[in-house]
Amino acid sequence: MDLTYTAEEEEFRAGLREWLAKALPALPPKPSPDDWPGRRAYDLGWQRTLYDAGYAGLHWPLDAGGRGATPVQHLIYLEETEKAGAPYVGANFVGLLHAGPTIAAEGTAGQRARWLPPVLRGEEVWCQGFSEPDAGSDLAALRTRAWRDGDDYVVSGSKIWTSHAEVADWCELLVRTDPAAPKHRGISWLAMPMDAPGITVRPLRTLAGPAEFAEVFLDEVRIPVAHRVGAENDGWRVTMVTLSYERGTAFVGEVVACRRVLGELAHAARGNGRWDDPVLRRWLGRLNAEFRALWRLTQWNVSEAGRTGGVPGVGGSVFKLRYSHARQELYDAAAEVLGPEALDLDREWTRDRLMSLSYTIAAGTSQIQRNIVAERILGLPKGR
Amino acid sequence: MDFQLTEDQRALRDGVRALLAGRFGPEPLRAAVARGGRGLDRALWRELGEAGFFSLRLPEADGGAGLGLPEAVLAFEEAGRVLLPGPLVATHLAAGEVPGAATGETVVTAVYGGLVEWLDESDAVRDGAWGPAAGGAADAVPLTSVDPLTPLHRVPGNLPTGPTGRAGPAGRAGPVGSPAPTGPPRPPDPLVTLLTAAEQLGNAARTCETAVQHARTREQFGQPIGAFQAVKHLCAQMLVRVELARAAVYAAAVTADPMDIAAARLLADDAAVRGARDCLQVHGGMGFTWESDVHLYLKRAWVRTRRGGTVTESEELLAADLLAGAGR
Ligand SMILES: Cc1cc2nc3c(=O)[nH]c(=O)nc-3n(C[C@H](O)[C@H](O)[C@H](O)COP(=O)(O)OP(=O)(O)OC[C@H]3O[C@@H](n4cnc5c(N)ncnc54)[C@H](O)[C@@H]3O)c2cc1C
């Protein structure tokens, strides 16, 4: 067990730090959460900046245009960018963190050449069209239907909770290509251009106010068969690849952010006298233990991925379960520090508290994660 | 950075596990319970000494293995898994300090937070450095230990007293007791806290495995109870607590940082105590019997939560760390 970083790793960290110190002051001001075109431009601009500096797609394989960095280097990247206060991956989340890696792993050479470079260069935004109104946790129950018509699929149905759909260029879309097959077998994974005729996007406001996600209605949308990633009806297997990336390293930077927030909370509490409350103080102390341990668990998982060839395992579910609840508790503690101001929506912590409520739902609910841990790690029987 | 066990560390862990399975399996465990916490198995103690359990961290020149805290933590995790009885932490920390401790010839205990484990069976009392009376066991009085595998003495005037069912005999002298020092409380030795956390981790991992094993085999309503989500989710939560505690304990062993140790302690205590409770729940009525081992894991976990300073102290330490701004 070794927690010291190698000379190369430290060199990489130093170079990144130095670059961040120069790059960040040149950033434009942050757009408001409601301004989606502004957010898109901001996020893509940052991606382009990363690309020009050679930091885009660090963890992507070399033949996908990435830097083929080790999981540890990726960890350092996420740690340092977050510590420096660099922009969050934002609208590039799906493209960079799971659609891109899925195409890199499962796509043809032509598909990789078409879709991957624009993600890295900050030219195209992806969204994820998996969930449907009647297929959330039970994702394989999806009903959006695709018929073959010549070289096209003709797709009808609807998707929901699609984050960033308003500003996306592409959608990783799950469709049912064989309704007669058992439900996990008849699914295909398609790349859908969001400007195709027949697509209607209706933004949904979240409980935090702004629209983060949308409903997407599909009315006889034509998608070339060549846009299918993986074999026809083999989409469930491809989906498992996507989900493992989604739950793998997606939250690493956020643990760093939570540790920073916790420190800020303590200082705020000392500033307003709440620090004198031993109950609150001890609660913050316990949260410190929690986030320290979550960081160690991250290092453990990343080391493991480094040894097993980089694909995140079900360990991601263990992490996601604990992290999502800890994050909610962190913002409950923030409310305790803020006192009456915790009800002021103009306070960042109040908005973050509201947003934290999604963590136990999005990317697989806590109940579903517990099923995964129990069945796939502990080997308990499947049941009703 | 490669935060995984090395080949040597795996081999060490497997070696300790095999040694303990051979010498302290289910039958010796039940025999020890039957003895009611009397009669520490001296032969086993010496065997542990020969295997290097106590001298692990001593330099090779002093007859040790010259290994570090990570290795010690792996060994203590294994001891925790099987509920190995005796003042293991105190004797380990006394190796190189008290003659015979390293080889297992001498059994050394310590006062932690006003409690002394295995006082009557020990040859020496080490300063556990916590509380005003730390160091001395002269006035220690026996109490009826909740853990049948850990006899306990209390050092008077050290802990607040609550209601009690019976009065213990007053005023006894410890074997090598020195007078109780007075003065301000001193913080616990972080190594006591860390090695105890390692035992808690082993305790937690074992109860998780036991619960899963039972959930796979016990049938109700025509299927294994592990197929019921209420049971499944209890087990999943147990594993999550174990894995988080493991990451924290191993990291603390690598850094030996007092904050990492305090964090590891909080997570390991939680994993052990709640894990044992959940394990009991999964076992149903069987779990409530003396015959099942589950209660032994819970009671030992409770005893260990009293070592290495109070939970409150660890929490306060970590709170103060937030203001110090370290690590961010
Ligand atoms: C902020 C946010 C962003 C999202 N972004 C996207 C996106 O970009 N693309 C996309 O495709 N989806 C997205 N989602 C959807 C998300 O993946 C689903 O909401 C999630 O999988 C749960 O599905 P559901 O909402 O249909 O809830 P349901 O599946 O109806 O679940 C409702 C409740 O029942 C419980 N439940 C369901 N099944 C079981 C079971 N077998 N055992 C125990 N309990 C069960 C759940 O845990 C939950 O508590 C997003 C969601 C959120 C909140």
Side-chain angles (χ1 to χ4, degrees):
Chain A
M1 288 185 286
D2 189 1
L3 284 166
T4 53
Y5 292 86
T6 63
E8 284 105 319
E9 286 161 354
E10 286 299 0
E11 203 176 302
F12 171 77
R13 185 193 298 275
L16 176 59
R17 264 191 199 165
E18 201 181 311
W19 176 74
L20 283 167
K22 274 187 260 149
L24 293 180
L27 273 178
K30 255 197 184 139
S32 94
D34 270 324
D35 174 13
W36 263 107
R39 282 172 68 177
R40 175 188 155 107
Y42 182 87
D43 293 347
L44 288 181
W46 173 242
Q47 182 59 31
R48 179 74 207 193
T49 309
L50 287 172
Y51 179 81
D52 289 341
Y55 287 115
L58 208 60
H59 63 301
W60 286 23
L62 291 171
D63 61 2
R67 286 203 25 198
T70 62
V72 174
Q73 280 177 325
H74 189 214
L75 179 81
I76 293 171
Y77 168 83
L78 293 168
E79 186 184 7
E80 290 301 325
T81 44
E82 179 50 50
K83 273 189 179 164
Y88 179 62
V89 60
N92 292 313
F93 184 90
V94 173
L96 267 176
L97 295 180
H98 51 90
T102 303
I103 292 166
E106 300 287 334
T108 62
Q111 291 174 334
R112 287 146 68 134
R114 166 62 191 90
W115 287 313
L116 300 182
V119 171
L120 293 182
R121 286 196 300 258
E123 289 162 5
E124 289 181 349
V125 168
W126 283 69
C127 65
Q128 180 188 36
F130 282 14
S131 305
E132 296 183 6
D134 292 326
S137 299
D138 188 8
L139 183 55
L142 63 95
R143 288 209 296 252
T144 291
R145 190 69 181 92
W147 290 268
R148 269 302 257 276
D149 180 27
D151 290 340
D152 289 340
Y153 287 113
V154 179
V155 179
S156 287
S158 70
K159 295 287 170 178
I160 193 165
W161 324 126
T162 317
S163 304
H164 319 136
E166 275 181 273
V167 291
D169 305 288
W170 293 92
C171 177
E172 49 172 7
L173 187 75
L174 293 186
V175 295
R176 186 158 297 286
T177 32
D178 182 0
K183 73 178 187 178
H184 292 87
R185 302 265 172 78
I187 294 172
S188 299
W189 197 107
L190 306 181
M192 175 173 79
M194 289 297 285
D195 58 0
I199 300 178
T200 310
V201 174
R202 198 170 80 199
L204 288 164
R205 287 184 79 194
T206 70
L207 54 74
E212 281 290 330
F213 46 34
E215 282 178 285
V216 178
F217 300 96
L218 306 167
D219 182 17
E220 304 203 339
V221 179
R222 296 189 82 86
I223 303 174
V225 172
H227 282 20
R228 191 189 64 229
V229 174
E232 186 169 270
N233 299 327
D234 193 29
W236 187 251
R237 193 186 55 76
V238 183
T239 303
M240 289 303 109
V241 173
T242 309
L243 293 184
S244 77
Y245 284 111
E246 186 174 3
R247 290 163 194 167
T249 45
F251 302 104
V252 170
E254 300 189 35
V255 177
V256 182
C258 285
R259 293 191 66 186
R260 189 193 62 230
V261 170
L262 193 54
E264 289 167 8
L265 276 184
H267 286 282
R270 194 174 53 177
N272 71 10
R274 295 289 288 120
W275 190 253
D276 297 336
D277 175 355
V279 175
L280 177 66
R281 221 167 43 222
R282 288 175 52 194
W283 189 13
L284 295 178
R286 203 165 254 284
L287 281 167
N288 188 7
E290 181 81 20
F291 283 103
R292 275 170 173 272
L294 281 164
W295 177 245
R296 297 310 189 183
L297 184 60
T298 301
Q299 289 179 314
W300 181 269
N301 287 343
V302 164
S303 293
E304 197 170 37
R307 287 203 179 185
T308 56
V311 179
V314 273
S317 289
V318 170
F319 176 84
K320 200 232 171 205
L321 255 175
R322 188 80 179 218
Y323 171 69
S324 56
H325 290 270
R327 185 181 174 104
Q328 291 174 359
E329 222 194 290
L330 171 71
Y331 286 105
D332 284 346
E336 205 51 43
V337 172
L338 284 173
E341 291 188 48
L343 301 178
D344 179 356
L345 253 188
D346 288 335
R347 298 298 299 236
E348 194 180 343
W349 288 343
T350 307
R351 293 196 304 269
D352 288 344
R353 186 186 193 196
L354 290 170
M355 287 310 292
S356 77
L357 299 172
S358 72
Y359 279 72
T360 46
I361 298 169
T365 69
S366 291
Q367 285 69 37
I368 295 301
Q369 305 296 341
R370 287 189 193 106
N371 286 348
I372 291 173
V373 170
E375 289 165 14
R376 295 201 218 147
I377 303 181
L378 296 176
L380 286 170
K382 285 189 185 262
R384 302 272 103 215
Chain B
M1 187 205 67
D2 183 15
F3 187 28
Q4 299 283 303
L5 300 196
T6 62
E7 282 305 317
D8 287 350
Q9 286 168 339
R10 275 173 216 278
L12 176 103
R13 181 196 60 193
D14 296 347
V16 178
R17 188 173 295 184
L19 170 80
L20 292 175
R23 287 293 281 115
F24 195 73
E27 276 168 30
L29 174 68
R30 294 316 300 195
V33 176
R35 286 198 301 274
R38 281 179 308 278
L40 192 69
D41 185 344
R42 290 276 180 159
L44 174 60
W45 206 258
R46 274 191 293 271
E47 210 168 320
L48 287 171
E50 268 163 40
F53 190 91
F54 303 117
S55 61
L56 197 70
R57 291 183 308 118
L58 286 186
E60 285 175 53
D62 299 340
L67 295 173
L69 267 183
E71 287 75 21
V73 154
L74 292 173
F76 273 83
E77 180 183 346
E78 293 306 316
R81 282 179 68 88
V82 295
L83 289 180
L84 192 63
L88 295 162
V89 172
T91 303
H92 177 96
L93 292 175
E97 190 182 283
V98 176
T103 56
E105 291 300 319
T106 312
V107 177
V108 185
T109 189
V111 182
Y112 306 120
L115 287 168
V116 200
E117 300 174 17
W118 290 97
L119 183 58
D120 290 339
E121 308 286 337
S122 300
D123 308 311
V125 183
R126 188 178 175 270
D127 183 356
W130 178 51
D139 304 324
V141 290
L143 52 81
T144 314
S145 175
V146 66
D147 175 10
L149 288 166
T150 312
L152 289 171
H153 281 71
R154 195 165 68 73
V155 180
N158 205 339
L159 285 178
T161 46
T164 170
R166 29 187 140 133
R172 71 174 299 295
V176 286
S178 47
T182 47
R186 281 172 302 148
D189 178 350
L191 295 189
V192 173
T193 312
L194 177 62
L195 296 177
T196 300
E199 285 187 279
Q200 294 287 58
L201 171 62
N203 202 97
R206 187 79 194 100
T207 51
C208 179
E209 286 163 21
T210 309
V212 169
Q213 180 61 26
H214 187 71
R216 280 207 202 112
T217 45
R218 170 72 172 170
E219 293 196 5
Q220 290 291 300
F221 301 96
Q223 56 179 329
I225 56 168
F228 298 115
Q229 217 174 39
V231 174
K232 193 177 274 186
H233 286 192
L234 270 184
C235 294
Q237 287 298 93
M238 288 168 83
L239 183 79
V240 170
R241 288 194 295 261
V242 169
E243 293 300 308
L244 197 67
R246 183 185 305 286
V249 170
Y250 288 2
V254 171
T255 66
D257 173 71
M259 291 307 157
D260 279 339
I261 291 176
R265 176 268 164 89
L266 290 178
L267 288 148
D269 274 1
D270 188 55
V273 172
R274 292 176 64 188
R277 279 175 186 257
D278 288 350
C279 182
L280 199 153
Q281 184 68 23
V282 168
H283 279 75
M286 180 55 75
F288 198 68
T289 65
W290 187 265
E291 277 66 37
S292 102
D293 291 342
V294 182
H295 68 109
L296 300 175
Y297 280 90
L298 177 60
K299 291 165 178 175
R300 183 69 67 82
W302 278 347
V303 168
R304 294 196 204 96
T305 59
R306 292 267 143 210
R307 280 191 219 144
T310 63
V311 164
T312 313
E313 283 170 326
S314 297
E315 288 168 343
E316 288 282 9
L317 201 63
L318 285 156
D321 169 57
L322 289 173
L323 287 182
R328 270 163 298 278

